Amino acid sequence: MYFDAASTAPLHPVARQALTAALDEGWADPARLYRSGRQARMLLDAARETVAAVLGARADEIAFTASGTQAVQLGLLGALTGHRRRGAHLVHSAVEHSSVLHVAERHEAGGGEVSVVPVDRGGRVDPAAFGALLRPDTALAALQSANHEVGTVQPVAEVADLCAAAGVPLLVDAAQSAGRTDVPAGWSLLTASAHKWGGPAGVGVLAVRKGVRYSSPLPADEREGGRVPGFVNVPAIVAAAASLRAVRAEAERENARLHALVERIRARVPRLVPEVEVVGDPVRRLPHIVTFSCLYVDGEVLLTELDRAGFAVSSGSSCTSSTLTPSHVLAAMGVLTEGNVRVSLPYGTAEADVDRFLAVLPDLVAGVRAPLGLDLPAPEASTAPVSLLIIDALGKRCPLPVIELAKRIGEVPEGGTIAVLADDEAARLDIPAWCGMRGHEYAGEAPAADYGGDRGTAYLVVRRTT
């Protein structure tokens, strides 16, 4: 199960269709006047209009970059250069993406000044604390719409009002929220990344409001309004725009569903696993991200065990997980920086997938901790019913799979699911028939591999009160 959408989302079906079509229709240079060039230009202009409409911008304010990171870097450097007469002071939160931090380091090394706004234990800035750091020589402020690692939504509108009153432009990194939620009001510059919403990798968005001073930090180029040099990837941009529109249309329904699944993880993990803390703001958060930290656990080791069990999740900072440095986000929040797991659900995640994750997690954590010989309290799972039970009846002839089902169905609560793994074809008839006789719900079949089996079929049964 792929639970790492915050790193990159699976390619949306609409993006795949649009990309395939645009490879045939939009391959030419959109700056040329011959027919194929004009056709590519029309596709590019239409994509720009679509992205602008979703992000609440004008089409001529949108420039396409090679990535979200490049969009952030160009946005920061261009705005700082454009406002150099005002001063060289940059303000940003302590939990920004590494692309912001790296530009801030370069800016400081070049003689500029940087102020960092702290966050609370939930990862959220205090607007008043942010506003207090704005000065007459502040050239630019930066605040993400929502955190990449823990999902906390920032008070962008309130901070934007304070920046506007001080005459300071505000860059908003909307990489995690674009397409999923409404774009916050008040931004001067906005950045986003297509692969975060299900578009193809290699497409970033940089929006600069009309009237905001911007001077490209790169040599002049006539492409993308002079902000981004080089030949644009029209097919990828078309696919990015099409998927952004599709995802935004689906967002209200899908966000509610994913929010409920994440809420289940937030509520259940602390009860299933001892010595664990769920981090991030519990209310003001993105619908698809949840991060928890396990005491006495190496996060990378736990990720390996989860991968063996069929779950792709992430650990550490979303942008520095390949390094050995602790997460700057968790450190700024003052929470445990080791043993953290970030689960970020892609669109379409099934309820059964989340239940299976919750079913396997306690034993995996216990296995990682076992060599330490710690005497930890038993998790709730030892005394309370689990919402997903897997019965391995592989190699057993019917009626044994049905007998095992009948004996153990009481181990799940009302509405809980049992996956019976069987490779006897008679189970395909007997299990649905048993459900009909006993008043339980037969929920269909799935590959046994989805539930840890090496062959056969998983027959899904939902317990109903009889």
Side-chain angles (χ1 to χ4, degrees), residues 115-137:
S115 294
V116 180
V117 186
V119 296
D120 62 19
R121 194 172 175 83
R124 201 167 191 264
V125 301
D126 177 5
F130 203 109
L133 292 177
L134 302 176
R135 309 186 319 212
D137 65 336

Side-chain angles (χ1 to χ4, degrees), residues 169-434:
L170 175 65
L171 183 146
V172 174
D173 171 14
Q176 283 299 337
S177 64
R180 293 183 179 272
T181 62
D182 292 334
V183 174
W187 56 269
S188 305
L189 302 97
L190 184 83
T191 63
S193 184
H195 74 101
K196 302 288 189 180
W197 69 63
V203 178
V205 177
L206 170 61
V208 182
R209 287 288 192 205
K210 287 294 181 183
V212 174
R213 293 182 178 275
Y214 183 93
S215 178
S216 176
L218 301 175
D221 190 280
E222 71 277 8
R223 308 269 181 177
E224 293 302 293
R227 296 181 189 135
V228 187
F231 194 91
V232 291
N233 187 342
V234 174
I237 290 170
V238 169
S243 56
L244 178 61
R245 180 171 54 197
V247 166
R248 194 70 193 102
E250 302 164 355
E252 183 176 355
R253 172 185 55 79
E254 191 66 2
N255 282 349
R257 203 178 64 80
L258 294 180
H259 189 282
L261 294 178
V262 164
E263 192 59 42
R264 182 179 304 183
I265 297 173
R266 292 184 64 90
R268 293 290 293 165
V269 167
R271 297 201 292 267
L272 293 171
V273 182
E275 304 291 351
V276 69
E277 179 185 16
V278 180
V279 300
D281 195 296
V283 178
R284 295 166 295 194
R285 59 176 177 82
L286 290 174
H288 66 299
I289 296 177
V290 56
T291 297
F292 53 89
S293 297
C294 303
L295 198 59
Y296 317 123
V297 168
D298 184 319
E300 298 299 327
V301 173
L302 181 54
L303 256 62
T304 299
E305 295 303 313
L306 283 166
D307 182 45
R308 288 174 178 168
F311 293 95
V313 299
S314 62
S315 178
S317 175
S318 62
C319 48
T320 59
S321 58
S322 61
T323 73
L324 297 178
T325 58
S327 159
H328 70 277
V329 171
L330 299 180
M333 293 166 58
V335 299
L336 187 67
T337 61
E338 297 297 331
N340 55 86
V341 174
R342 182 188 66 180
V343 174
S344 49
L345 306 179
Y347 285 116
T349 298
E351 183 177 352
D353 297 337
V354 170
D355 286 340
R356 179 169 175 258
F357 174 79
L358 293 171
V360 304
L361 180 67
D363 286 344
L364 294 180
V365 175
V368 173
R369 288 170 170 169
L372 302 177
L374 296 170
D375 184 17
L376 297 176
E380 177 191 286
S382 62
T383 58
V386 295
S387 53
L388 173 68
L389 175 66
I390 300 173
I391 297 176
D392 187 351
L394 294 169
K396 298 179 180 180
R397 299 283 299 272
C398 278
L400 290 178
V402 177
I403 293 172
E404 289 295 317
L405 172 60
K407 288 167 55 178
R408 302 190 62 188
I409 194 165
E411 296 179 26
V412 298
E414 163 74 12
T417 300
I418 296 180
V420 182
L421 310 187
D423 52 1
D424 185 348
E425 281 299 309
R428 180 167 282 112
L429 301 174
D430 290 354
I431 291 177
W434 180 87

